[in-house]
Amino acid sequence: MILELNFKSGRPAYLQIVEQIKFGVAMGRLKTGAQLPSIRELAEQLRINRNTVAKAYGELEHEGVVETIQGKGVFVKSGGTQLAKGARESNVAAALDAAIVQAHHMRIGKEELKRILDERLEAFEERKEGRS
Amino acid sequence: MILELNFKSGRPAYLQIVEQIKFGVAMGRLKTGAQLPSIRELAEQLRINRNTVAKAYGELEHEGVVETIQGKGVFVKSGGTQLAKGARESNVAAALDAAIVQAHHMRIGKEELKRILDERLEAFEERKEGRS
Amino acid sequence: MILELNFKSGRPAYLQIVEQIKFGVAMGRLKTGAQLPSIRELAEQLRINRNTVAKAYGELEHEGVVETIQGKGVFVKSGGTQLAKGARESNVAAALDAAIVQAHHMRIGKEELKRILDERLEAFEERKEGRS
Amino acid sequence: MILELNFKSGRPAYLQIVEQIKFGVAMGRLKTGAQLPSIRELAEQLRINRNTVAKAYGELEHEGVVETIQGKGVFVKSGGTQLAKGARESNVAAALDAAIVQAHHMRIGKEELKRILDERLEAFEERKEGRS
DNA sequence: GTGGTCTAGACCACC
DNA sequence: GTGGTCTAGACCACG
């Protein structure tokens, strides 16, 4: 699994790591029990400070996505969110609402919005395939 | 129009105001030319500092949602954004990307995502009609 | 790059900063990617409050002149504005209108105005070349 | 002489009055000794507060453009600025510099800038003729 | 009454 | 170290 950071995005580096690893787990690219790169290793690879990686791993452990075993390493734990279906859907709905409001202000109509969604979904598909 | 802040969310107060007002405009609940509550008034209502409200209103003005007239007040603007087509689309795409990532985390698939978008779009239509 | 504020001018300090930095970028004195002085540093240099500098930098970011990376600093951005062609032209037209009105007040005619514009354009060219 | 206020411009009403009258004097449309409309009359015509007109007239008197004779009215005084040629030119040059910087940020080139200046000059000509 | 600018100082998030 | 958010309170410009 290869991580990539976008330093210009304004999104905190540690959050980008957290999200990409959660994404990998959700995608099935990182299976339960798989070992993550060591803090030192990942920090070197991404050319960032070890503290930043440590913070990301700490966050992941806090969320129950990974498990650290002292002296052994960091491993993928279970299998994703445990929220009920309804709660999961409403989280997604909230994100879509934001997109709809944004589209309104950008004077982009319903059909065009759907078209863009299709485009972005395809872009994500490609990234997924390209990396697996 | 009643605004509500969630101080526990970690989301900056001024951004919550911005989003709720943009939402109101998109909904048609705030019509072109309508006057927003004065900075002092809203600050008192929400029990936050004047400057925070001022920052929110400034942000809305930057985005072209609102127009302020010195000594008169702040009003909902007509035109909408002046961004180039490409920039407008990429703003919407960014919002959709966030929704796609959220969907992945929530283990919600492509087709279901589209279905939820349709639902939300319909919900917006209805609310808009219901109020006009 | 050295900034200077004129406190007697009545022109807001934060706007003077914005204008001088935009001027520096237009001149080529501030190149893409260059780091601006930190908020704290500039505030101290100019003997004004941090918030005032922060407001100036925020304004520059809104206008797409500058990019800020949390915990790193503020940097000159490449692209330029994302406004639509029409909006871009009308911004320039507004600036020219101000000059035309000024010329009228100063009893300076149409042809002379054009002559001065040519002079100033040449001056800009030279200064740009002289520094590169 | 007909004055027009643009309430949306953000430019203070009293300043718009000042500028339009100074403009009229510079154009020769308002000759020395001509009587201006009374405060009450102009306030009614422009649908603004009398205080605002009074402030404008006060400013004009302060600048030596008009003269108020108690119980008679307000009259045009002398004939415009008394600055030396060089000072007058450099005021105009400063305004043009601002336009040039603006043009750079709006990615509008030298030739296009001149074209826009011509357009705006024509627009001003028309307004002038249309009113005389 | 309205909004605009600025100060002084606090606390937080990020690297 | 960097920037981001917020408060409290002052003074000014405008109508």
Side-chain angles (χ1 to χ4, degrees):
Chain A
M1 165 127 185
I2 297 158
L3 298 185
E4 272 177 24
L5 295 186
N6 176 359
F7 293 102
K8 293 185 180 174
S9 71
R11 198 135 188 85
Y14 88 96
L15 262 188
Q16 293 186 45
I17 297 173
V18 167
E19 281 166 2
Q20 287 182 37
I21 288 180
K22 280 167 78 175
F23 186 79
V25 172
M27 291 289 67
R29 226 180 305 158
L30 285 169
K31 308 239 161 97
T32 302
Q35 180 169 11
L36 294 181
S38 75
I39 289 182
R40 155 168 305 194
E41 198 179 332
L42 187 53
E44 204 170 307
Q45 188 189 315
L46 298 177
R47 297 160 165 263
I48 58 179
N49 194 292
R50 289 210 284 270
N51 292 332
T52 307
V53 180
K55 184 164 189 180
Y57 280 10
E59 180 68 23
L60 284 166
E61 180 150 32
H62 183 70
E63 294 188 27
V65 180
V66 307
E67 185 175 31
T68 51
I69 303 180
Q70 282 295 350
K72 290 256 186 139
V74 181
F75 302 86
V76 177
K77 206 169 164 188
S78 68
T81 321
Q82 291 167 343
L83 292 173
K85 182 77 187 291
R88 278 161 37 213
E89 274 201 14
S90 76
N91 274 341
V92 174
L96 284 174
D97 280 0
I100 293 172
V101 170
Q102 181 71 283
H104 177 272
H105 285 284
M106 293 296 147
R107 298 198 312 274
I108 281 179
K110 201 168 148 176
E111 294 311 321
E112 207 167 350
L113 179 62
K114 288 191 198 174
R115 178 184 62 67
I116 299 176
L117 176 60
D118 279 331
E119 273 177 28
R120 302 309 301 163
L121 280 169
E122 266 182 48
F124 272 76
E125 284 305 320
E126 277 170 28
R127 271 218 281 167
K128 206 161 104 188
E129 286 164 15
R131 299 239 189 140
S132 62
Chain B
M1 166 126 190
I2 297 158
L3 299 184
E4 275 179 22
L5 295 187
N6 175 1
F7 293 103
K8 294 182 192 166
S9 70
R11 197 139 187 82
Y14 85 95
L15 267 187
Q16 293 185 44
I17 297 174
V18 167
E19 282 161 4
Q20 288 182 39
I21 288 180
K22 281 171 81 173
F23 185 79
V25 172
M27 259 0 301
R29 221 177 306 163
L30 285 169
K31 306 229 163 106
T32 299
Q35 181 166 12
L36 294 181
S38 80
I39 290 183
R40 285 166 173 80
E41 197 180 331
L42 187 53
E44 202 173 315
Q45 247 182 53
L46 300 179
R47 293 151 161 273
I48 60 178
N49 191 278
R50 283 197 328 117
N51 290 336
T52 304
V53 180
K55 183 166 188 181
Y57 279 9
E59 182 69 27
L60 285 165
E61 178 151 39
H62 269 299
E63 296 187 25
V65 178
V66 128
E67 179 176 43
T68 101
I69 303 180
Q70 255 283 17
K72 288 260 186 124
V74 179
F75 304 83
V76 177
K77 202 168 167 184
S78 55
T81 181
Q82 288 186 322
L83 291 175
K85 182 78 188 289
R88 288 178 8 232
E89 278 201 11
S90 73
N91 276 339
V92 174
L96 284 174
D97 280 1
I100 293 173
V101 168
Q102 181 70 279
H104 272 131
H105 289 167
M106 295 296 148
R107 297 201 311 280
I108 281 177
K110 199 168 150 178
E111 293 312 321
E112 206 165 351
L113 180 62
K114 288 192 199 174
R115 180 184 59 69
I116 300 177
L117 177 61
D118 278 331
E119 273 177 29
R120 301 309 300 162
L121 279 169
E122 265 182 50
F124 269 73
E125 287 301 324
E126 276 173 28
R127 275 203 266 175
K128 253 162 115 170
E129 285 165 14
R131 304 242 175 188
S132 63
Chain C
M1 166 127 190
I2 296 158
L3 299 184
E4 274 179 23
L5 295 187
N6 175 359
F7 293 103
K8 295 181 190 166
S9 71
R11 197 140 188 81
Y14 86 94
L15 267 186
Q16 293 186 44
I17 297 174
V18 166
E19 282 161 5
Q20 289 183 37
I21 288 181
K22 280 169 82 172
F23 184 79
V25 172
M27 261 358 306
R29 221 176 308 162
L30 285 168
K31 306 230 163 106
T32 300
Q35 182 166 11
L36 295 180
S38 78
I39 290 184
R40 285 166 174 80
E41 198 181 330
L42 188 53
E44 203 172 315
Q45 245 183 54
L46 301 177
R47 294 153 160 273
I48 59 178
N49 191 279
R50 284 198 326 120
N51 290 336
T52 305
V53 180
K55 185 167 185 180
Y57 280 9
E59 182 67 27
L60 285 165
E61 178 151 40
H62 269 300
E63 296 187 26
V65 179
V66 127
E67 178 177 45
T68 101
I69 304 181
Q70 255 283 17
K72 288 261 186 124
V74 179
F75 304 84
V76 177
K77 203 168 165 183
S78 56
T81 181
Q82 290 185 322
L83 291 176
K85 183 80 188 289
R88 280 167 27 218
E89 278 200 11
S90 72
N91 276 339
V92 174
L96 284 174
D97 280 2
I100 293 173
V101 167
Q102 181 69 279
H104 271 131
H105 290 166
M106 295 297 148
R107 298 199 312 277
I108 281 177
K110 197 169 151 177
E111 294 310 322
E112 206 167 351
L113 179 62
K114 287 191 198 175
R115 180 184 60 68
I116 301 177
L117 177 60
D118 279 331
E119 274 177 28
R120 300 311 300 162
L121 279 170
E122 266 181 48
F124 269 75
E125 288 301 325
E126 276 171 30
R127 274 204 265 176
K128 252 162 115 170
E129 286 164 14
R131 303 242 176 188
S132 63
Chain D
M1 165 128 185
I2 296 159
L3 298 183
E4 272 178 25
L5 295 186
N6 176 1
F7 293 103
K8 293 185 181 175
S9 71
R11 197 134 187 86
Y14 89 96
L15 262 189
Q16 293 186 46
I17 297 174
V18 167
E19 281 166 2
Q20 288 183 36
I21 287 181
K22 280 167 77 176
F23 186 80
V25 172
M27 291 289 66
R29 226 180 304 158
L30 285 168
K31 307 238 160 97
T32 301
Q35 180 170 11
L36 294 180
S38 74
I39 288 182
R40 156 168 304 193
E41 199 180 329
L42 187 53
E44 203 169 310
Q45 189 190 313
L46 298 177
R47 295 157 165 265
I48 59 179
N49 194 292
R50 288 210 285 268
N51 292 332
T52 305
V53 180
K55 184 164 190 179
Y57 279 10
E59 179 69 23
L60 285 165
E61 181 150 33
H62 182 71
E63 294 187 27
V65 179
V66 306
E67 184 177 31
T68 50
I69 302 180
Q70 282 296 349
K72 289 259 186 133
V74 180
F75 302 86
V76 177
K77 205 171 167 187
S78 67
T81 318
Q82 291 167 343
L83 291 174
K85 181 80 187 290
R88 278 161 36 215
E89 274 202 14
S90 76
N91 274 340
V92 174
L96 284 174
D97 280 1
I100 293 173
V101 170
Q102 181 71 283
H104 177 273
H105 285 285
M106 293 296 148
R107 299 198 309 277
I108 281 178
K110 203 168 148 177
E111 293 312 320
E112 206 166 352
L113 180 62
K114 289 190 196 174
R115 180 184 61 67
I116 300 177
L117 177 60
D118 279 331
E119 274 177 27
R120 302 309 301 163
L121 279 170
E122 267 182 48
F124 272 76
E125 283 307 320
E126 277 171 29
R127 269 216 283 167
K128 204 162 102 190
E129 285 165 14
R131 299 235 189 143
S132 63

